[in-house]
Amino acid sequence: SPEASAVKVKLYATGSDSESGAAVLGTYNLKKNSSTGMWSVTVNGDLKNIYYTYLVTVNGTTNETQDVYSKATGVNGNRSMVVDLDSTDPDGWDSDNHVLFNNAQEAVVWEVHVRDFSISDTSGVSDDNKGKYLAFTEGGTKINSDTSASSVSTAADYLVKSGINCVQLMPVYDFGSVDETITGSATNRNWGYDPVNYNVPEGSYSSNPYDGNVRITEFKQMIQALHDRGISVVMDVVYNHTYSTDSCFQKTVPNYYYRLNRAGKFSNGSGCGNECATERAMYRNYVIQSCLYWVNEYHVDGFRYDLMGIMDVETMNQIRDALDQVDNRVTMWGEAWTGGDSYHPTNTCDGTKFIPAIQSNAGSLSERIGIFNDSVRDAIKGGAMSIANTGFVQGSKGAAKGISFGLFANSNGNYKWKAKAPSQSVTYADCHDNAALYDQLVASTVSGDYGNRYEDLVKMNKMAGAIVNTSQGISFMLAGQEMARTKYGDTNSYKSSPEINKINWNNILEYQDLVSYYKGLYEIRKNFTPFTAMDKSYSSAYTLNKSMGSAFSNQVAFTVKNDQPDEWQTMAVIHNSAKKAEEVKLKDESCTEWVIIANDKTAGLKKLGEVSGSTFTVPAISTVIAVDKASFDKLA
Ligand code: CA
């Protein structure tokens, strides 16, 4: 804090005054090093688990604040804690390893909120762990805790059995919108896109938010349990804004960490009241160090950057470089847009031009920083801004164009935006924002009755999954897309009730064929390299039935050649969103003997039938996937 005139550190026995044993243990003056500008003091003694704040006097006022660089805090994050990180490690932590993919596109990403994952009684998770980090550590969980032999696995076991290999956790850093002192309240919940302490786990998901050690240990146990099951863990990070400007950043160095507009007011590119200045040296450095910390201390395997368009390209690329020093397989992707008008400075701290990390600047971003492909999302199920919009799977012919570009992860030609390579695109149909896929299908076709299964909606859902998983790019979905999860039409459920947000694990019985269809799609994807190649090496191996720029149709069909000797050599994918079966003749007729591996009912590695010639009969609202018979027989 170079502008501060005085800084003191205040030591406390507890993380808040409301706890027993609360006491002030002392206050010490820090001294400023005139050459580095750094304030410091040495306090002798065993200070492990002691809580502390800083008293920063700047511009004539003294603010009490937690440490910007907190690694542990007390309840609600108001006081920092001196932590011995090694002592927080759970048993076996030394042998816990990252779960990383050689190609980011090998990930099947399942985006979930910690509370939604287990809060329902159907989860089979013990009552103590429902809604907590530790829910992810439970094995042997069954629907409704029914232990009979025929019952179905839930929670972490379900992920393994259904072929999901990557969990993206919605905010798990310490956020401000949930009061950690209140337990058992249905209204005290939030997605958590409101950071308070970036390097501390959220307390409300721990079994004891008062003891700064507990949340750290339990967070590590969660990661360890997922890694033990071969599941990669991506963390949602929100460096673009903070809960409020009454923050440790503002109290420590006023008006440094936030962008101010020309009128001297906090700029609001996040739509949440402020935006952080990644172009400034000490915030850029902060963000880079924070990402490294989560990777090294918590073994996090990747990051999802909220409103990445507020951040600058140079900062994002420097994060990529820093993570590459640890392991270049650590994944990065983000939302290459803002939540409102962002006030951009002309230059960054190193004198270079400020370039926002938005879609139109993809060419300046590393090709290993993924960008959410909202154009394919909207093409699949209809524009996300209205739940009544229809896309390709509901029969919108105009959406075929977006599907065609999405096949190449928007890396082959410019449709709304252009990725440098397939690795730079996240292919998806839904996420936590806007309507869940199932809800948009309901609202746009059968007027708002969310209560029951509809055959056509299941077919549309299957086709959405087939489009995502036979496209290049990183396959991503909201948790439960594969079991027709509903939020009852709620398109912004950030603080809605558990009844709306919970994963209802009964759906895996109700929609058993859907879950197994998705599993089959992941297997097909995993066994066909062109879908997961990082670069554009396979783009010339595709033959589309219609030219991408002029497609207006209920059918999108393509063949793709593979040069991997131990895989299928040719694959045909035909999506038919018409309400009746259609004959589709492939443009590429070089293969004339086919084995069908996906149809309107099932998908996977098994033979479902054979076709001679290059004309396929594709059932109503379905995808047919076929591979050349010669290589199928050879590999079978
Ligand atoms: Ca919190």
Side-chain angles (χ1 to χ4, degrees), residues 371-503:
I371 289 172
F372 279 93
N373 189 353
D374 56 337
S375 55
V376 77
R377 174 199 69 191
D378 290 354
I380 292 171
K381 74 171 200 289
M385 294 308 135
S386 166
I387 194 170
N389 286 338
T390 57
F392 181 81
V393 301
Q394 298 104 311
S396 163
K397 292 183 177 182
K401 185 174 173 179
I403 302 295
S404 299
F405 280 87
L407 297 178
F408 301 95
N410 282 41
S411 67
N412 196 24
N414 196 342
Y415 176 68
K416 301 192 177 178
W417 70 285
K418 185 179 179 183
K420 279 160 97 170
S423 61
Q424 207 184 36
S425 186
V426 177
T427 305
Y428 71 120
D430 68 357
C431 67
H432 68 273
D433 276 322
N434 310 121
L437 172 65
Y438 178 82
D439 287 351
Q440 185 135 355
L441 297 178
V442 171
S444 60
T445 59
V446 289
S447 39
D449 179 355
Y450 296 97
N452 216 331
R453 176 189 175 101
Y454 299 87
E455 293 305 323
D456 280 359
L457 299 188
V458 172
K459 288 180 187 174
M460 291 172 194
N461 190 324
K462 284 180 177 174
M463 197 190 306
I467 292 168
V468 169
N469 284 286
T470 59
S471 292
Q472 297 189 310
I474 297 155
S475 295
F476 178 102
M477 62 183 160
L478 175 68
Q481 179 187 317
E482 80 291 358
M483 55 167 111
R485 178 179 176 188
T486 182
K487 293 195 278 183
Y488 303 95
D490 190 333
T491 57
N492 187 11
S493 66
Y494 74 102
K495 60 176 185 180
S496 301
S497 70
E499 280 311 301
I500 283 173
N501 276 304
K502 70 175 193 292
I503 290 177

Side-chain angles (χ1 to χ4, degrees), residues 573-592:
V573 177
I574 310 167
H575 307 293
N576 172 30
S577 64
K579 304 290 187 289
K580 60 181 177 55
E582 294 283 353
E583 304 261 295
V584 178
K585 185 173 163 51
L586 294 173
K587 187 174 170 189
D588 171 13
E589 298 183 67
S590 61
C591 175
T592 54

Side-chain angles (χ1 to χ4, degrees), residues 316-326 332 368:
M316 295 310 301
N317 287 340
Q318 287 193 21
I319 298 169
R320 182 68 272 174
D321 290 344
L323 294 174
D324 285 351
Q325 302 300 311
V326 181
M332 292 175 68
R368 287 181 297 110

